[in-house]
Amino acid sequence: MFPVYDVIVVGAGHAGCEAAHAAAKMGSKVLLCTMNMNTIAQMSCNPAMGGVAKGQIVREIDALGGMSGIISDKSMIQFRMLNRSKGPAMWSPRSQNDRMRFAEEWRLALEATQNLDFWQEMITGLVVKDKRVVGVRTGMGLDIEARSVVLTNGTFLNGIIHIGEKKFGGGRTGEAAAKGITEQLVELGFEAGRMKTGTPPRVDGRSLDYTKMEVQHGDESPEKFSYSNETKPLEKQHTCWITYTNKEVHETLETGFDRSPMFNGRIQGLGPRYCPSIEDKINRFAERERHQIFVEPEGWNTVEIYVNGFSTSLPEDVQYKAIRKIAGFENAKMFRPGYAIEYDYFPPTQLKLTLETQLIENLYFAGQINGTTGYEEAACQGLIAGINAHNKVKEDEPFLLKRSDAYISVLIDDLINKGTEEPYRMFTSRAEFRLLLRQDNADLRLTELGHKIGLASDERLENMLDKKNATKQLIKELKERKLSPEVINEGLEKQQTATIKEKATIEKLIKRPQLGLDQLKGMDADFDAFLDSYDKEVLEQAEIQIKYDSYLEKEQAMVDKLNSMENFRIPDSFDYLSIPALSAEAKQKLNKIRPETMGQASRISGVSPADMSILTVYLGR
């Protein structure tokens, strides 16, 4: 009934979709297994993509040839570039999306992908021989053969949904939990744990009074995620709104605390630190009289509203009473209550940097099974797992990115070397080279790599090279082109920056904090015409590279220094336990994680500089 597949992907969420698409596009014969073909790429929580550091990840996925950026653009209803008031390392794209259109676009993209088959059924186990995965077993008892398997089970592994004192099995509301896989993996020697996440109630937008809320518009000149020509920026945008909780809301919520599964001990798993439930917020921050609520439409043609900031697992009657005390929600009609969900995960220290498991060959984990939270974090893991599963079965080299290459590699490196006991969320602060890893240059960093492995198209590579060459040419001209005092001094005074006494190069002028190319526009007609000959992306790239030149050089020097350690490989068979001078903790951690390079070893929690010196001596021998 089935051929032998190169890659079987279990789960069709964000990680599974990227894994299946990448492996199939690179030439593997792929089977994507899902419990429900109608919920492929479901946005289980908020209908949005990107955000702080997450937007950088979406751009990186796109630059490598993944699909999340294109799908986000095609289903976008609003775009905002966050943190514009800060430096470019902090700028983060975020879109509000049409939930139904997002899932539809992903399904259409997957159905148009050659080498990709689908199977709708629960996968209850793996077929493993001699510590190598050779297929999957379905709920009907079918064995489907494969050379590699990627598990992207999301919140479905033994998932339990909590609403007040009620609890029932499920991977998300209305869908069954997945049984069998956790138990088998534990029998095979894997360590498993429990985590928790949650979601807010959804309400009827027709029942809200938007006049009592603050309007949140999208950017005046919206951008997009994808560097490809397949998508265009929005021409019209949907409005979002902001409102706030109040003391009365908090008091109403507190009446349900005795029935809260989070406070009475029924939820054992740790929840996301940076996305707490509303009851957790009012309990931990009792001094605050209000908390922000983002009122987000679920799409162009639906009245359903996502109440961002009101995630809760309190009883539904308490949720209903409390939400109606929020300004603008006095007559709110609830479509469905919020809930918490507990699920199994596997500490990611059990993986290699390729996301292949250490215990079972050709078995890969991606997404929330590794302890992450968020669509973007899941999608990028799926992409890397799909690429490496393909490479492994085709006997190609592993695809590995360094921390200085992408936020994607910061995330994977953190997970494997540090592990996580709570849902991991990406932030710009996690990346030590964040000035190099900006959202605006993901194509310059990664498209060539994506093209080399067969994911990014020839057109994408040409576009990137055109941008790179145009930026280089523009920087050269800005270093040579000068403006005279009589032409620009009046404009400089208006910008509240010092006037000049002799001609000055554009490069020198835009190094000033008050000035950029936009501020210089309008001061000289010839200069304006010169700038108009370049694309917006090229202008932005040139300005950033000039303005932050010295900082970029320092960061690159640090990267070059650290790369020497990244290139110092450690043999797979190296015996850490035989080195008596290593600390007991270092022996334990090194033996468990099995770092591939000295750079990776140096980032493992519990491995000291002294341990690294000893390791260097022994490896040198």
Side-chain angles (χ1 to χ4, degrees), residues 547-619:
K547 194 176 278 287
Y548 298 93
D549 180 44
S550 60
Y551 299 99
L552 291 167
E553 280 185 10
K554 286 177 185 175
E555 208 157 273
Q556 188 59 53
M558 288 173 61
V559 169
D560 295 340
K561 185 177 179 181
L562 289 171
N563 278 347
S564 61
M565 293 184 72
E566 298 296 341
N567 295 329
F568 193 151
R569 299 198 68 79
I570 303 174
D572 291 340
S573 58
F574 190 77
D575 185 6
Y576 299 100
L577 302 180
S578 67
I579 305 176
L582 281 177
S583 69
E585 185 178 5
K587 286 182 186 179
Q588 179 191 3
K589 297 284 183 67
L590 290 165
N591 193 55
K592 180 180 181 181
I593 294 172
R594 310 295 305 173
E596 297 176 27
T597 67
M598 287 291 281
Q600 185 186 353
S602 70
R603 294 189 294 276
I604 295 173
S605 176
V607 177
S608 69
D611 292 319
M612 289 301 298
S613 298
I614 294 163
L615 195 55
T616 302
V617 171
Y618 273 82
L619 283 166

Side-chain angles (χ1 to χ4, degrees), residues 14 55 64 81 157 181 208 248 279 306 362 382 420 504 566 613:
H14 299 261
L64 285 168
M81 184 67 77
L157 292 180
I181 290 177
L208 303 183
E248 201 174 356
E279 57 264 37
Y306 180 87
N362 292 355
T420 185
E566 298 296 341
S613 298

Side-chain angles (χ1 to χ4, degrees), residues 184-204:
Q184 183 187 12
L185 290 173
V186 170
E187 281 182 19
L188 289 167
F190 285 90
E191 176 192 348
R194 294 286 277 177
M195 280 190 176
K196 166 251 173 186
T197 189
T199 194
R202 313 301 201 270
V203 301
D204 187 337

Side-chain angles (χ1 to χ4, degrees), residues 7 58 101 213 241 327 368 374 438 619:
V7 182
V58 178
R101 189 176 292 184
M213 307 179 197
W241 297 267
Q368 284 175 291
R438 306 184 310 277
L619 283 166

